[in-house]
Amino acid sequence: MASPSVAADLAQQPFTQQPFTQRLIQQRAGDAPGHARQVDIAPVIVPAFADGGVTKLTPVDLTLIPSLGGRALLDQFSLLPTSVLERYVNDHPDAVADLLATPIAATEVERWWGESSPAVKQKLISTTPDLVGNLDGIPFGTRNLANRQYLAAAISGLEERLSSGVGRGMNVDITNHLHMLTQIDNALKSKAGDPVRTLVSLDTDAPGRAAIVVGDLASADYVSYLIPGMFFTIDGQVDDWADTATTLFHDQLGWLDRLGESAKTVATVAWIGYQTPHLLNVGSLTLADEGAGYLARTIEGLQALRGDHQPYVSVMAHSYGSTAAMIALQRGDFQIDALAVVGSPGSSAQTAAALSVRNANVYVGEAGWDPVVNSAFYGSDPGAASYGAYRMSVAGGVDAITNKLLGASYGHNEYFQPGSESMRNLALIGIGAGGLVMNDSGTTIAAAGR
């Protein structure tokens, strides 16, 4: 039921209480378990015939809104006056989270946002920044603005609670939460000579989720997503992961310049867009399955916004994140141009050809003394010859093109070290130059004929 204050406001609004319809279709995509997709959501339509018999969208009774979802709910948020919407989301604190938890096709979101007036857009950014900042299909600059606004408000709110005086136990919880959010804020600060970083997704609830972009997703010719694995958290690694994305950004630009493609542009994404596992839950694929859904929606959102000007999209995934990425790509909801997995514990797909990667453009790197590789813990071993992926060397040595000395990666967590052979190969994969990737024999894949 609506609160008395909201109901009173609405009494002054010309709402037409007539029957409405909503269509929600869910289907299971591919063979992967538990992946429900919302593929078609029609808006709530309340017939109101103007001159010429044109049907237009008008508000429904506020008491009906909690039963809505998807595009229908977005439409009603657009129609509510600012004060009413603000009180509605305050009275229904789970409304935005529930809406984001039910996938809406990015193309549908793009269409809805494009049809919204500037005044409606500004109202939604100021009133529901957590919604605007996380809806795939909304322009990235707008999402960055909304997410930064929401992050600042969350930090300010926690600081006020601490200063007001709370119990010892609550003080610890709030302090830890505040530390997590300030880590995101710190990760958004570009260093001298680096491009501006943008925040294109944000979940402020612990353990948190975020995606920080280096470069311009709206126009880049090449886009690379960095997907972390076990033990990567917002609180502990988001700043380092954003730095890794920045290193990859500069490495890719350097290679483009060397290859005579200096006019081309890149964007890299430090994507901690799912909850990574720890020792107590790493044996389950639940978080990988959840991460696969988030990753699919992320890339579908990019491709919806880019329209006829699609970038070359690559995914570079580590450890448990590689398993999540391969689950997403096995479902076949979207396609990418290249996939690189390092330190992988296994793939749900039996071969690289079963993944939605154009031309089976899949690469695998395995470091010495990495206890995870070759375990095939979650399915097939992507490093096995039978899997059909290209082997990329991470052992270090002399660059076959530049003659520079490249660092080696050892163990499970050194694949993203600056100056390493691993990072050199990842940079080339991300700009569509996979033929120049060095293999285990010290030659390029192109030179080796494989």
Side-chain angles (χ1 to χ4, degrees):
M1 295 294 291
S3 67
S5 60
V6 176
D9 249 351
L10 287 172
Q12 306 302 317
Q13 304 298 324
F15 285 11
T16 306
Q17 299 185 35
Q18 298 183 34
F20 66 95
T21 60
Q22 178 190 21
R23 182 157 58 92
L24 176 66
I25 300 175
Q26 289 187 323
Q27 69 177 16
R28 190 169 301 280
D31 297 325
H35 182 57
R37 291 183 52 75
Q38 184 170 323
V39 296
D40 186 16
I41 306 173
V44 174
I45 298 295
V46 182
F49 297 99
D51 290 341
V54 177
T55 302
K56 63 179 181 179
L57 189 67
T58 57
V60 299
D61 188 285
L62 194 68
T63 59
L64 299 175
I65 293 181
S67 66
L68 305 181
R71 173 66 190 266
L73 185 53
L74 292 179
D75 285 330
Q76 293 305 308
F77 277 7
S78 297
L79 293 169
L80 289 175
T82 301
S83 61
V84 179
L85 177 59
E86 186 173 44
R87 281 197 291 273
Y88 179 84
V89 295
N90 286 336
D91 291 345
H92 300 82
D94 294 330
V96 169
D98 291 344
L99 180 55
L100 291 171
T102 305
I104 305 172
T107 51
E108 183 70 16
V109 172
E110 182 193 21
R111 183 162 49 250
W112 164 75
W113 189 256
E115 293 169 354
S116 300
S117 69
V120 166
K121 291 175 180 177
Q122 184 55 53
K123 174 190 71 176
L124 292 168
I125 292 171
S126 62
T127 308
T128 57
D130 48 336
L131 174 65
V132 174
N134 290 284
L135 270 180
D136 291 301
I138 290 180
F140 298 113
T142 301
R143 290 171 64 177
N144 174 59
L145 177 66
N147 283 325
R148 285 177 178 266
Q149 174 183 315
Y150 191 63
L151 177 63
I155 290 174
S156 177
L158 291 175
E159 290 174 339
E160 287 181 10
R161 290 181 65 189
L162 281 178
S163 63
S164 67
V166 293
R168 181 178 300 176
M170 184 64 71
N171 185 290
V172 171
D173 289 344
I174 294 175
T175 299
N176 290 340
H177 193 181
L178 183 60
H179 184 269
M180 181 194 80
L181 297 185
T182 54
Q183 290 299 101
I184 299 174
D185 190 50
N186 290 337
L188 288 171
K189 297 171 183 175
S190 302
K191 297 174 176 61
D194 290 339
V196 172
R197 297 176 178 183
T198 55
L199 184 61
V200 296
S201 70
L202 173 69
D203 181 353
T204 59
D205 291 338
R209 292 184 296 115
I212 296 176
V213 179
V214 180
D216 187 356
L217 279 182
S219 62
D221 297 297
Y222 302 97
V223 175
S224 302
Y225 289 88
L226 289 164
I227 317 300
M230 184 172 69
F231 296 138
F232 259 72
T233 64
I234 292 294
D235 195 45
Q237 282 83 27
V238 67
D239 200 4
D240 291 340
W241 205 226
D243 285 345
T244 298
T246 302
T247 298
L248 183 65
F249 175 91
H250 288 300
D251 287 352
Q252 289 180 339
L253 286 183
W255 277 108
L256 285 170
D257 186 57
R258 175 176 289 274
L259 298 173
E261 297 284 348
S262 58
K264 298 290 187 179
T265 57
V266 304
T268 56
V269 186
W271 192 85
I272 310 183
Y274 77 116
Q275 182 182 340
T276 61
H278 48 71
L279 281 177
L280 297 182
N281 60 7
V282 71
S284 167
L285 282 175
T286 299
L287 294 178
D289 186 70
E290 182 180 282
Y294 284 127
L295 180 60
R297 295 198 290 276
T298 294
I299 296 179
E300 287 169 348
L302 169 72
Q303 293 173 340
L305 285 172
R306 293 297 297 267
D308 294 332
H309 304 282
Q310 291 295 314
Y312 186 96
V313 177
S314 59
V315 169
M316 300 163 186
H318 175 236
S319 187
Y320 191 87
S322 72
T323 301
M326 288 184 283
I327 290 174
L329 290 165
Q330 186 183 14
R331 289 172 177 163
D333 299 324
F334 64 100
Q335 269 194 322
I336 62 173
D337 297 287
L339 169 69
V341 298
V342 291
S344 178
S347 165
S348 58
Q350 293 187 344
T351 66
L355 303 174
S356 295
V357 182
R358 293 180 180 91
N359 304 313
N361 203 18
V362 179
Y363 303 80
V364 58
E366 299 179 329
W369 303 101
D370 185 344
V372 172
V373 300
N374 301 318
S375 66
F377 189 81
Y378 299 114
S380 301
D381 177 11
S386 59
Y387 195 81
Y390 294 103
R391 296 278 304 187
M392 62 174 247
S393 175
V394 299
V398 177
D399 192 308
I401 297 174
T402 67
N403 292 320
K404 291 182 179 179
L405 187 63
L406 301 168
S409 301
Y410 295 102
H412 191 57
N413 295 314
E414 292 189 356
Y415 294 100
F416 300 98
Q417 291 295 316
S420 66
E421 184 177 19
S422 177
M423 281 293 283
R424 177 254 191 216
N425 287 333
L426 291 174
L428 286 164
I429 291 167
I431 59 171
L436 301 181
V437 167
M438 292 174 61
N439 59 23
D440 292 332
S441 65
T443 60
T444 65
I445 288 175
R450 167 56 189 165

